[in-house]
Amino acid sequence: MKRTLIRGGYIVSVDAAVGDFPVGDLLVVGDRIAEIAPHIEAAADEAIDARNMIVMPGLINAHLHTWQTGLRSIGGGWTGPDYHKIMHGNLGTRFLPDDNYIGTLLGALEQLNGGVTTLFDWCHDITDIDYAHRSVDALEEAGIRAVFGHGSAKPLAGEGDVPFTHKPHPRARLEALRKGRFASDDRLVTLAAAILGPQFSTPEVVEHDFRMVKDLDLLSSSHAARRPADRVSPEGFFIPARLGLLNAKHNVVHGNYLSDEELKLIVDCGASVTVTANIELHVHPADPVTGRLRALGAMPSLGVDSIPAANSDLFNEMRLAMLYQRSIEHRVNHNAGCGPLTVLPVPSRDVLEWATIGGARALCMEDQIGSLTPGKKADIILIDGLALNMFPVHDPVHTTVQQANFSNVDTVLVDGVVRKRGGKLLYDDNTLTQRREALRTSVTRIIEESGYRPVPAGALS
């Protein structure tokens, strides 16, 4: 097995038992972290000079619709209803399997480049199993660790059509993937079910979908972004909870309009909640649930969600989630007539945990990833502390959360394999040029077929 020695970095382990090392070494053997110490004497096949670098676990993007990458910022002016009408009712219906492949590939490479070593790819335009296979082909080609969330398309229903809210998740398709390509969970890309959930489906569909994922022993995830009056199943997550089907293998995304009682139920059942602050502040009046989760003793995870409307840099997502929650807590304190807070709310270290350990918990992978812990997978990033927007580094956690961006990521290892070195993604330049052209061709066709005119003529040429 290959032995890689990372030398002399400032190690931020995100593991209280391991702690941090102002100067430390980390030994990787094969795909695992073997040792972390102030100094390690060991033979190595490769040595990585980490002086002036922050060494930390790779970030975990717990929610991304990666297939939409080629439509970057097309929805920067959309409302929530606009997104559903234009994306799912029009643009999304024009995608073919190869469009999923090219969008997912460029999106996964972008995430790797930005220090994300694990991605929950929530793929919800699937109408045929070929869409799923091509999306997974892309994730595997990129070399990122990923959970592929098999979803279903959500077109607008025509007169006499059965709406998607009344359609159970296509079990036959999911089962074929589970028994075929994903028969083993011991692989870099694993399978999950991106189900509708109680806010977007009838009680009968809710029960079908939750029983299905239990039968197939899969992680599942669902959106919870509808106002109470718009929910298809008003009982919400009380339905799967009553059936004994709501547990740690379910992930809830958003949750802004959940009542305190329903949010507590979700937490008490062990399910996780992913906050996507950028999108939630973009289209929702209700606050992200970050603070409410913390009050319940739960740790949120973070996701980017939808690149057509959101910034795709997870460092940006960390900052936005932190600053908005800080603002809430300052205002609550002020409106209560109290003086200035004596301790700044929402510490930077907590936010870093949301993007690492929190994501690992959401994906039921905390025993494998999320921290630099001997025995865990070697998913590691090195951040350049000499970059002008980083230097000088007085506190690596504050600096990472409040200053860093994707361009500061110098080195990325996934499963012990170096995927980025010296600030350059290790993906063939000529191939990347070809893939960019393929993405341009893909989205140009999709937009032309849709009749939607988001940009001035010629902007895509």
Side-chain angles (χ1 to χ4, degrees), residues 83-198:
Y83 169 80
H84 289 282
K85 179 181 179 181
I86 300 170
M87 179 59 69
H88 290 292
N90 187 359
L91 292 167
T93 67
R94 316 288 172 173
F95 275 67
L96 300 172
D98 282 346
D99 299 313
N100 268 38
Y101 160 79
I102 196 62
T104 300
L105 175 62
L106 270 292
L109 289 173
E110 178 196 7
Q111 292 298 302
L112 267 179
N113 190 51
V116 170
T117 53
T118 299
L119 168 66
F120 192 151
D121 176 28
W122 222 97
C123 189
H124 59 340
D125 74 327
I126 299 176
T127 56
D128 180 271
I129 199 166
D130 287 343
Y131 286 79
H133 281 304
R134 291 301 281 147
S135 297
V136 176
D137 289 345
L139 295 170
E140 292 179 342
E141 181 177 333
I144 197 167
R145 188 181 305 280
V147 175
F148 174 69
H150 176 280
S152 53
K154 297 162 181 60
L156 302 178
E159 186 175 350
D161 292 342
V162 177
F164 74 84
T165 54
H166 290 56
K167 296 179 181 179
H169 197 92
R171 176 170 181 145
R173 196 160 65 221
L174 190 65
E175 195 164 3
L177 291 168
R178 183 59 167 151
K179 292 182 177 179
R181 190 169 192 167
F182 293 97
S184 169
D185 292 327
D186 186 20
R187 59 199 319 276
L188 200 59
V189 181
T190 54
L191 180 65
I195 63 177
L196 292 173

Side-chain angles (χ1 to χ4, degrees), residues 58 237 246:
F237 288 93
L246 185 63

Side-chain angles (χ1 to χ4, degrees), residues 60 219 248 272 297-299 356-366 369:
I60 299 173
L219 174 74
S272 64
M299 183 185 293
T356 51
I357 288 290
R361 288 182 183 174
L363 303 183
C364 298
M365 298 172 74
E366 191 180 357
I369 58 174

Side-chain angles (χ1 to χ4, degrees), residues 275-388:
V275 171
T276 66
N278 196 313
I279 283 292
E280 290 158 18
L281 297 178
H282 183 72
V283 296
H284 294 293
D287 294 331
V289 297
T290 319
R292 294 166 63 199
L293 287 170
R294 286 162 60 80
L296 292 169
M299 183 185 293
S301 52
L302 299 179
V304 163
D305 196 3
S306 183
I307 293 176
N311 186 295
S312 54
D313 185 347
L314 200 62
F315 290 102
N316 179 73
E317 187 67 37
M318 279 195 278
R319 271 189 291 281
L320 189 57
M322 175 185 71
L323 292 173
Y324 191 77
Q325 187 56 39
R326 281 183 176 175
S327 176
I328 290 173
E329 297 190 25
H330 281 302
R331 283 186 279 116
V332 168
N333 179 71
H334 176 76
N335 292 339
C338 302
L341 292 169
T342 58
V343 177
L344 193 64
V346 195
S348 296
R349 188 171 289 271
D350 287 8
V351 179
L352 186 59
E353 289 179 354
W354 302 348
T356 51
I357 288 290
R361 288 182 183 174
L363 303 183
C364 298
M365 298 172 74
E366 191 180 357
D367 62 332
Q368 297 290 312
I369 58 174
S371 66
L372 301 183
T373 303
K376 283 192 176 184
K377 291 287 191 175
D379 290 4
I380 305 164
I381 63 174
L382 278 62
I383 300 175
D384 182 6
L386 293 179
L388 291 176

